[in-house]
């Protein structure tokens, strides 16, 4: 019953988004400020200048080997390395949704490279992460789900089994 209520809530509140991974979002929540990436923690978390931890919204990358919860931890290493190559020492625009912080006080954001690449979507599209949605932060839920389906269908990254 709880899963049905969550599904219904998502269906009723998630906007219909069909932006490709390379088209920047428009809206009031996209920062005009650029944030410099100091360090990549794992495949979905990084630190920006000033020591602020940022967790990418709507995605979940596999954990790295220091977490024994994840059985396919080698994908966690690949996801972390790929994110580091993609955004390490880069400047990003951040876009916020309804809730700005999680229970660990990390900043929750969608991230965009200066060239317009939507990082969250790209990681899903290439199979470095899977979709995970925590309402009320559901702005790109439909788009990310579509990209995950395509990644599974094309056996990219995590889905290449």
């Amino acid at each position: 019953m709880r899963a049905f209520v969550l599904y219904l809530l998502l269906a009723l509140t998630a906007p219909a988004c069909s932006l490709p991974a390379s088209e920047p979002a428009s809206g009031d929540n996209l920062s005009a400020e650029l944030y410099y990436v100091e360090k990549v923690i794992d495949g979905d978390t990084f630190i920006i200048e000033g020591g602020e931890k940022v967790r990418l919204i709507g995605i979940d990358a596999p954990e790295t080997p220091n977490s024994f919860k994840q059985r396919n931890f080698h994908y966690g290493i690949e996801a972390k390395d790929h994110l580091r190559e993609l955004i390490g020492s880069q400047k990003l625009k951040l876009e916020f949704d309804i809730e700005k912080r999680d229970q660990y006080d990390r900043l929750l954001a969608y991230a965009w490279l200066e060239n317009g690449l939507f990082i969250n979507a790209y990681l899903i599209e290439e199979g470095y992460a899977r979709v995970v949605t925590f309402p009320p932060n559901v702005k790109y839920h439909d788009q990310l789900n579509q990209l995950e389906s395509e990644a599974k269908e094309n056996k990219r990254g995590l889905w290449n089994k």
Side-chain angles (χ1 to χ4, degrees):
M1 178 67 177
R2 185 173 180 203
F4 174 77
V5 171
L6 180 59
Y7 174 79
L8 185 58
L9 177 66
L10 286 174
L12 294 173
T13 61
C17 294
S18 59
L19 297 174
S22 62
E23 189 173 313
S26 59
D28 298 333
N29 291 333
L30 183 61
S31 67
E33 184 177 348
L34 292 172
Y35 298 88
Y36 177 76
V37 177
E38 285 187 346
K39 180 180 179 183
V40 172
I41 303 292
D42 59 26
D44 53 34
T45 309
F46 54 91
I47 298 175
I48 56 175
E49 193 169 22
E52 182 85 61
K53 274 189 186 178
V54 178
R55 174 67 162 81
L56 295 172
I57 300 172
I59 74 168
D60 184 39
E63 299 300 321
T64 50
N66 60 354
S67 172
F68 295 100
K69 297 182 289 186
Q70 192 72 28
R71 58 191 160 115
N72 293 325
F73 64 82
H74 60 282
Y75 288 120
I77 295 168
E78 287 179 32
K80 178 181 178 178
D81 289 347
H82 190 71
L83 186 60
R84 184 185 302 119
E85 288 173 21
L86 189 63
I87 70 168
S89 300
Q90 297 285 322
K91 290 184 178 181
L92 305 174
K93 286 188 176 187
L94 299 179
E95 181 180 7
F96 308 105
D97 210 331
I98 305 298
E99 290 181 347
K100 199 169 179 181
R101 295 197 177 271
D102 68 6
Q103 64 190 17
Y104 306 108
D105 202 36
R106 297 177 295 190
L107 196 58
L108 299 172
Y110 303 103
W112 306 83
L113 284 177
E114 285 183 275
N115 68 7
L117 181 71
F118 181 17
I119 302 300
N120 309 52
Y122 175 80
L123 294 171
I124 295 290
E125 183 175 43
E126 296 302 314
Y128 288 102
R130 66 183 181 90
V131 174
V132 63
T133 304
F134 296 101
N137 291 347
V138 298
K139 184 171 185 177
Y140 295 105
H141 173 78
D142 291 344
Q143 176 190 359
L144 297 177
N145 266 339
Q146 178 62 40
L147 292 171
E148 183 179 81
S149 294
E150 291 170 14
K152 285 178 181 178
E153 192 174 300
N154 293 302
K155 299 184 185 336
R156 286 191 217 115
L158 293 166
W159 316 113
N160 186 14
K161 293 183 180 184

